[in-house]
Amino acid sequence: MIAALADAVAVELGATVSGAESAGAAPNPALRTAFVDVLGPSPSEVLRDLDGPAVVVPAFLASGYHVYQDVPREVAESGHPSVAVTAAMGPDPALTRIMAVRLRAAGWRPGDAVVFAAAGSSDARARRDVRRAAGMLAEQLGAPVRIAYVATGTPRVPEVVTALRDSGAERVFIASYLLAHGLFHQRLHVAGADGVAEPIGVHPAVVRLIADRYRTAARDLVRVR
């Protein structure tokens, strides 16, 4: 999914993936992918391979340990002299609108209960971002939204689904605050809800969001040079 998202952002920016340029074409910004966890290459490895100014866009839906600790550490370890780091992807109104569309496509109707399902984090700042995102979705839907977590933190998604049913909710739907399909999203389908919205995914609005983060940071880099 990350590869597909990178390809879509590259098209939006008129960029080249992995630095490859078409013969005779004017130079375009190169778009690289990096990972701060298990997979590679790491941001520091990618940055060490770049000559000019660079913009790092953290593809996270909330700003927790990875955004506040891992990414700055990777940038520092790279030794790259000109790097701008943007805000994380979420929370953002564009993501809220996508979640509302996904929820309605799953069968949600006004009056149905909503569980806002996030991966979870031990970082209080990330949990604060999740609360903001859930509040934005509640406002978008004009309906209450209950937060639950898939992996880290409480309450867990099945617990909240059960609690809503016990309180009288006839139908319960899960809004997935996840970027892609995978193990976490699979868990939502066995949580006992009447429907599960698709993850946010490679939506045009997500592509524009990342591209806009890049453009703003790139302009700022140019001004300070």
Side-chain angles (χ1 to χ4, degrees):
M1 183 271 173
I2 292 297
L5 182 58
D7 288 342
V9 173
V11 171
E12 175 74 15
L13 291 173
T16 56
V17 178
S18 297
E21 295 174 5
S22 301
N28 287 322
L31 190 149
R32 309 284 187 92
T33 56
F35 302 89
V36 295
D37 205 344
V38 179
L39 298 176
S42 67
S44 60
E45 289 171 332
V46 171
L47 288 169
R48 281 194 289 267
D49 195 40
L50 298 178
D51 294 326
V55 175
V56 176
V57 183
F60 296 102
L61 298 178
S63 296
Y65 186 85
H66 286 321
V67 173
Y68 289 112
Q69 301 295 328
D70 286 339
V71 171
R73 173 179 50 76
E74 291 281 346
V75 171
E77 289 179 357
S78 75
H80 196 292
S82 182
V83 180
V85 180
T86 76
M89 292 170 54
D92 190 272
L95 304 179
T96 303
R97 290 190 289 270
I98 296 169
M99 291 185 72
V101 169
R102 301 276 194 245
L103 198 56
R104 292 188 180 98
W108 177 85
R109 300 190 301 266
D112 296 336
V114 179
V115 179
F116 185 99
S121 173
S122 59
D123 192 301
R125 294 165 294 190
R127 295 195 300 273
R128 183 172 62 245
D129 280 353
V130 168
R131 289 194 295 270
R132 285 181 54 209
M136 292 163 69
L137 181 62
E139 184 175 354
Q140 178 78 24
L141 297 175
V145 168
R146 290 279 299 275
I147 297 172
Y149 298 102
V150 184
T152 303
T154 56
R156 296 298 179 93
V157 176
E159 297 169 2
V160 174
V161 171
T162 299
L164 285 168
R165 291 204 189 283
D166 290 345
S167 67
E170 293 184 4
R171 302 208 314 161
V172 180
F173 283 78
I174 296 175
S176 177
Y177 196 54
L178 301 171
L179 195 55
H181 287 281
L183 177 61
F184 287 175
H185 190 75
Q186 290 173 11
R187 291 179 183 174
L188 300 182
H189 285 281
V190 296
D194 294 282
V196 178
E198 288 289 295
I200 290 167
V202 186
H203 189 282
V206 174
V207 174
R208 289 192 295 271
L209 173 62
I210 294 175
D212 288 345
R213 292 269 197 273
Y214 163 79
R215 292 186 183 109
T216 299
R219 285 195 295 268
D220 290 343
L221 269 179
V222 170
R223 281 197 290 267
V224 300
R225 290 183 68 193

